[in-house]
Amino acid sequence: MDRVFFEPVSAPEDIERVLTDLLIETMDRLDQAGQGGRAFEAGFYRVDGEVRRVVVRTGRPTRDAPAVLRLFRERVAALSNPLDPGFGFDQMRMSVPWTQILSPTQQGLEREMPGEEAFSRLIDRLTARLGPEAVLRFEPFASHIPERAARLVPASMRPNGEVWPDLDPDDPPLRPLQMFDPPQPVETLAEVPDGYPLKFRWRRVLHEVTRAEGPERINGEWWRAPNQRTRDYYRVEDRDGRRFWLFRQGLYGETPEPRWFIHGLFA
């Protein structure tokens, strides 16, 4: 969509008004095609021949002109090189380089936006202001190795199709909220053979284990690291009620000296 002006425009309110009109017409075209935009590009053509292009992206396909206009405001405000009309813009253009199918959805009888939609809009605004590399989210990854079972990706990136495990909310957590990368070594002072340590020292503090659950045995991914050792994980609690996620790397009889590590802390 284009607008060519007989008289150049330079006032911010005039530029925004034209941008709004272009977005409304663009969304109407997308609606007729059953599409939604994932990226919108505004082109600003100055009378001296210089061209500036500003791009905003959304986490989901959209035809919401006011929401995209807010993203352009955020993006323009965050530009390191401000948008300078000089002697004015004699042309403005709106294009949609990335589209996806967007079928009509029933929002309900009340004028309330679903939480997922509101969250997606928040992500879009943060991305427009801070850049896609600064707004990240965790997504599950197909690996049974704990430190590889999730990864950080740009929040606006399309999901990879993997889903988080469906856990019973009444069960204790299998994984801690805080994990160390890499796992931190601990010194064990007493061990049950092929079991958990009765005492261990971590960061020069001695912990006496009063309760333990496990082991959860996790084998190495031989196709990635053929020599990776087997891990036996334990959820342990010390006398002060602090809970740790420990593992023994290597098995007795298979490795010269199995080593113990702390991989995370439970809340």
Side-chain angles (χ1 to χ4, degrees):
M1 307 299 296
D2 283 274
R3 284 288 188 278
V4 179
F5 313 114
F6 293 107
E7 293 290 338
V9 297
S10 58
E13 59 272 17
D14 293 335
I15 295 172
E16 182 166 313
R17 183 166 57 250
V18 175
L19 197 60
T20 301
D21 292 342
L22 287 172
L23 281 171
I24 291 173
E25 292 186 22
T26 298
M27 300 308 181
D28 184 59
R29 292 283 187 89
L30 290 172
D31 186 34
Q32 295 175 24
Q35 301 282 320
R38 288 290 306 275
F40 298 84
E41 180 182 278
F44 302 87
Y45 298 78
R46 293 198 335 187
V47 294
D48 60 2
E50 182 177 339
V51 180
R52 289 291 303 275
R53 291 181 173 86
V54 178
V55 179
V56 298
R57 295 176 174 83
T58 63
R60 304 195 306 176
T62 184
R63 294 192 292 262
D64 190 334
V68 176
L69 179 62
R70 287 194 294 271
L71 296 183
F72 274 113
R73 288 179 186 147
E74 298 279 356
R75 187 74 187 103
V76 169
L79 289 175
S80 57
N81 183 16
L83 187 66
D84 180 12
F87 292 105
F89 299 119
D90 59 5
Q91 182 181 354
M92 289 175 57
R93 173 177 297 171
M94 178 64 61
S95 59
V96 189
W98 184 10
T99 63
Q100 287 181 3
I101 295 175
L102 179 60
S103 302
T105 57
Q106 174 65 40
Q107 300 289 352
L109 300 178
E110 299 181 1
R111 296 180 58 83
E112 294 183 1
M113 297 300 296
E116 184 178 352
E117 179 72 18
F119 182 71
S120 179
R121 290 186 177 182
L122 173 62
I123 294 297
D124 294 341
R125 292 187 64 185
L126 292 174
T127 300
R129 176 179 289 271
L130 304 175
E133 69 283 349
V135 186
L136 307 175
R137 63 175 173 83
F138 282 102
E139 74 171 8
F141 185 69
S143 176
H144 57 274
I145 303 299
E147 59 266 33
R148 296 181 189 149
R151 60 183 179 183
L152 281 171
V153 298
S156 58
M157 180 182 293
R158 179 187 293 186
N160 62 1
E162 299 288 337
V163 296
W164 296 104
D166 188 12
L167 303 177
D168 189 334
D170 295 328
D171 289 342
L174 298 178
R175 299 290 185 267
L177 291 177
Q178 179 181 353
M179 293 181 63
F180 299 114
D181 186 18
Q184 299 186 8
V186 298
E187 176 189 358
T188 57
L189 303 182
E191 295 182 41
V192 177
D194 282 335
Y196 60 91
L198 300 178
K199 297 179 181 180
F200 67 92
R201 191 184 305 277
W202 176 54
R203 294 180 177 175
R204 296 182 292 184
V205 177
L206 181 65
H207 300 272
E208 183 176 349
V209 176
T210 57
R211 293 196 299 176
E213 293 179 314
E216 177 189 358
R217 179 159 294 179
I218 297 179
N219 293 314
E221 296 176 336
W222 57 267
W223 59 92
R224 293 175 56 96
N227 297 323
Q228 192 176 64
R229 296 179 181 180
T230 300
R231 299 177 182 177
D232 277 352
Y233 278 87
Y234 293 87
R235 297 187 296 275
V236 304
E237 183 176 316
D238 70 2
R239 188 171 295 278
D240 295 324
R242 290 169 292 197
R243 293 179 291 172
F244 307 86
W245 202 36
L246 303 178
F247 72 86
R248 180 181 59 238
Q249 182 169 278
L251 303 178
Y252 288 104
E254 294 185 4
T255 56
E257 185 180 354
R259 301 177 60 195
W260 282 91
F261 296 85
I262 181 169
H263 204 160
L265 302 176
F266 290 95

